[in-house]
């Protein structure tokens, strides 16, 4: 069998070299329906990207060098171990993730979707997997800089329409103008320069397509963020310390929420596991910007996004006309 026909055929049609946008060829050991171990090679500049467990790694060095990539790798790995939430992600069920996706894009029956969807910063993979399962005619590319994708490899193997890519969304190895929908929830505020990420995600959207992103609002009080500020630069502390602290502070935070009813993010009280997970999530990333509606409008202006509307606090739907 020709190896090129195998890294989930469709993927090679949709990705390019993240350095020069050249075409990629695959080389490696094929097993079943995809390349297990091997590499992608750029036909123009010769850059090579390893494929591990069926997942191409465009920025493997980030897993060593980037505080953000390492922080989220730890976070998702700890979650996987069951030391925080067991089922929900940030207190949301899989169904709630899907419902929010449909709400953002005005989708009525997601099972009938035939779109090319890029989800940037898929984290737990909850949304991408649910969509890929329910809507077999969609093609979903799930991007993330962390190693969280590794734990999703087995599931992805069973879903021919789900493609996982380890990469930096600021330089995504995805062909421009390919996506009907690009979704990035809780991701752009973790970039040093969010507007750079916005520009690269926007470039993936095809004519008539849409981009949705959600970022932390600066105009609402958030107890988790306040804690982060009080602690200074907790992202520099060892993961173990952040983990122990998250669980030590969770009961205090929970009581604060129960008494004050200023819940942060949600409209009702979250359980202790979610609170601990959220504390860890807020202490770990290097960058965590909070943004006003005016700033979001400014980002859109600089990115040449002419048509956008703000939904809730603080989601933004952008239309490419
Ligand atoms: C707070 S999590 C949100 C996960 C998911 N979207 C959700 O709502 O549950 C942010 C995710 O964005 C990823 N991320 C952060 N910076 C990134 C970058 N430059 N490129 C790709 N992914 C990135 C992190 O690794 C992490 O998994
Ligand atoms: Zn190249």
């Amino acid at each position: 069998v020709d190896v090129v026909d195998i890294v989930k055929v469709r993927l090679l049609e949709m990705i390019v070299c993240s350095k020069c946008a050249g075409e990629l060829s695959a080389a490696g050991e094929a097993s079943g329906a995809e390349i297990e171990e091997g590499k992608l090679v750029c036909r123009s500049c010769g850059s090579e990207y390893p494929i591990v467990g069926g997942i191409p790694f465009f920025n493997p060095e980030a897993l060593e060098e980037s505080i953000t990539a390492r922080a989220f790798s730890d976070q998702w790995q700890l979650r996987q171990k069951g030391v925080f939430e067991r089922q929900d992600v940030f207190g949301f069920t899989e169904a709630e993730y899907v419902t929010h996706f449909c709400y953002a894009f005005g989708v009525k029956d997601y099972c009938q979707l035939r779109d090319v969807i890029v989800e940037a910063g898929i984290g737990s993979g909850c949304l991408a997997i649910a969509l890929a399962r329910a809507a077999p005619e969609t093609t979903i590319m799930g991007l993330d800089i962390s190693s969280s994708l590794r734990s999703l490899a087995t599931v992805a193997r069973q879903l021919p329409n789900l493609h996982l890519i380890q990469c930096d969304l600021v330089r995504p190895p995805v062909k421009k103008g390919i996506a009907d929908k690009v979704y990035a929830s809780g991701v752009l505020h973790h970039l040093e320069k969010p507007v750079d990420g916005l520009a690269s995600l926007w470039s993936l959207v095809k004519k008539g397509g849409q981009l949705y992103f959600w970022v932390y609002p600066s105009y609402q009080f958030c107890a988790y963020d306040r804690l982060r500020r009080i602690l200074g630069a907790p992202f520099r502390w060892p993961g173990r310390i952040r983990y122990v602290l998250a669980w030590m502070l969770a009961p205090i935070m929970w009581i604060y929420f129960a008494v004050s009813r200023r819940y942060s993010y949600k409209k009702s009280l979250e359980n202790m596991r979610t609170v601990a997970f959220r504390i860890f999530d807020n202490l770990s990333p290097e960058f965590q910007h909070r943004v006003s509606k005016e700033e979001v409008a400014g980002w859109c202006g600089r990115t040449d996004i002419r048509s956008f509307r703000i939904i809730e606090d603080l989601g933004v739907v952008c239309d490419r006309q």
Side-chain angles (χ1 to χ4, degrees), residues 36-269:
E36 284 290 318
E37 307 291 329
K39 59 190 176 186
L40 295 171
V41 183
C42 174
R43 293 190 203 169
S44 304
C45 75
S47 293
E48 296 187 353
Y49 306 103
I51 300 169
V52 185
I55 299 168
F57 280 71
F58 283 89
N59 295 90
E61 73 291 342
L63 300 175
E64 305 291 332
E65 295 162 10
S66 149
I67 292 180
T68 303
R70 280 213 317 268
F72 282 109
S73 298
D74 289 352
Q75 184 172 329
W76 297 119
Q77 211 179 336
L78 285 168
R79 185 180 181 278
Q80 190 79 16
K81 281 192 196 156
V83 302
F84 290 121
E85 301 168 300
R86 299 245 163 85
Q87 290 243 294
D88 296 358
V89 186
F90 296 114
F92 295 104
T93 62
E94 183 184 286
E96 285 172 319
Y97 268 88
V98 173
T99 303
H100 189 77
F101 172 90
C102 293
Y103 165 67
F105 291 124
V107 172
K108 294 217 172 64
D109 182 359
Y110 62 94
C111 298
Q112 303 299 323
L113 281 177
R114 297 173 157 268
D115 292 342
V116 172
I117 300 170
V118 173
E119 190 191 355
I122 72 168
S124 70
C126 161
L127 175 66
I129 292 168
L131 286 176
R133 275 212 183 102
E137 300 295 321
T138 57
T139 300
I140 300 177
M141 279 181 271
L143 322 182
D144 207 291
I145 190 106
S146 78
S147 64
S148 72
L149 301 174
R150 281 192 187 142
S151 64
L152 307 176
T154 317
V155 182
R157 201 164 292 143
Q158 289 149 11
L159 294 165
N161 57 337
L162 177 62
H163 309 271
L164 302 178
I165 306 169
Q166 189 270 349
C167 67
D168 182 355
L169 65 85
V170 179
R171 274 167 296 277
V174 179
K175 279 188 185 163
K176 294 198 189 317
I178 203 175
D180 298 281
K181 295 178 171 53
V182 177
Y183 190 85
S185 182
V187 180
L188 290 180
H189 49 226
H190 294 309
L191 303 181
E192 186 175 4
K193 296 188 189 129
V195 76
D196 293 353
L198 178 61
S200 61
L201 293 184
W202 182 239
S203 75
L204 307 182
V205 179
K206 67 164 70 147
K207 207 166 177 234
Q210 291 176 301
L211 161 69
Y212 169 82
F213 64 94
W214 179 83
V215 285
Y216 291 140
S218 58
Y219 50 87
Q220 281 179 350
F221 172 76
C222 172
Y224 296 104
D225 192 67
R226 179 59 63 86
L227 176 66
R228 177 185 164 96
R229 277 160 207 253
I230 291 170
L231 295 177
F235 54 85
R236 297 206 188 282
W237 305 347
R240 275 202 74 77
I241 305 271
R242 276 178 280 121
Y243 171 68
V244 171
L245 200 63
W247 268 112
M248 274 170 51
L249 296 176
I252 302 170
M253 200 85 144
W254 188 89
I255 291 169
Y256 166 79
F257 290 136
V259 173
S260 73
R261 301 187 176 209
R262 298 168 81 183
Y263 300 124
S264 309
Y265 308 116
K266 289 208 111 182
K267 294 185 173 63
S268 57
L269 189 58

